[in-house]
């Protein structure tokens, strides 16, 4: 009896050979994709945050009577250097307030995947009038 018991154990061990490798091959690509998606989501959140900051800075500068730079320059200065070159700002001055819309392209981990997607934020500031 002990001989048959050993042969069954031997057979079981040889059947399980390679199972771990197959599990890794199946799981690792999913983990990589999930990791890339998490990082991409972080990049999108960063672009949205930067667009909000830049629109407020541009609106603040445009609200002054005698600004030292344009609202576009102030917006670009407020952005991270990696996003500044491709951002655009639309400054609209009304009678009592200034509204600036900032559009910042969302960077992509995989080139060409998110082309055309952008973070858009709007800020409105009252015009700062100096009475003389």
């Amino acid at each position: 009896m002990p001989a048959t018991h050993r042969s069954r154990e031997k057979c079981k061990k040889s059947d399980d050979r390679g199972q771990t490798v197959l599990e890794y091959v199946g799981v690792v690509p999913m983990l990589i994709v999930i990791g890339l998606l998490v990082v991409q989501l972080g990049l999108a959140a960063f672009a949205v945050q930067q667009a909000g900051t830049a629109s407020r800075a541009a609106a603040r500068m445009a609200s002054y009577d005698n600004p030292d730079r344009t609202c576009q320059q102030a917006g670009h200065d407020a952005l991270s250097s990696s996003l500044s070159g491709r951002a655009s700002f639309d400054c609209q001055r009304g009678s009592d307030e200034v509204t600036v819309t900032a559009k910042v392209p969302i960077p992509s981990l995989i080139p060409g995947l998110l082309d055309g997607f952008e973070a858009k934020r709007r800020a409105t500031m009252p015009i700062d009038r100096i009475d003389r």
Side-chain angles (χ1 to χ4, degrees):
M1 270 243 185
T4 55
H5 182 65
R6 268 192 231 149
S7 62
R8 284 184 187 167
E9 277 184 22
K10 207 179 221 185
C11 196
K12 258 188 185 177
K13 284 183 183 178
S14 66
D15 288 346
D16 290 344
R17 192 174 298 170
Q19 179 178 352
T20 306
V21 173
L22 287 175
E23 288 175 4
Y24 279 123
V25 167
V27 171
V28 169
M30 287 190 312
L31 291 175
I32 290 172
V33 168
I34 290 170
L36 286 173
L37 290 175
V38 167
V39 172
Q40 184 63 57
L41 182 65
L43 285 173
F46 176 69
V48 169
Q49 180 269 334
Q50 287 284 293
T53 299
S55 66
R56 285 190 302 278
R60 189 177 308 111
M61 187 59 64
S63 71
Y64 297 150
D65 270 343
N66 296 315
D68 61 347
R69 54 198 160 148
T70 66
C71 72
Q72 286 87 359
Q73 289 171 334
H76 284 289
D77 290 345
L79 283 173
S80 170
S81 61
S82 62
L83 298 175
S84 181
R86 300 177 295 155
S88 64
F89 299 92
D90 178 29
C91 305
Q92 297 177 348
R93 191 176 178 104
S95 59
D96 292 334
E97 61 189 21
V98 175
T99 301
V100 175
T101 303
K103 296 177 184 173
V104 178
I106 297 174
S108 176
L109 285 176
I110 301 171
L113 183 65
L114 292 178
D115 286 346
F117 286 95
E118 59 189 11
K120 184 161 97 170
R121 287 290 179 258
R122 180 174 295 150
T124 301
M125 298 271 179
I127 292 179
D128 183 27
R129 299 196 192 286
I130 300 175
D131 294 328
R132 294 179 190 197

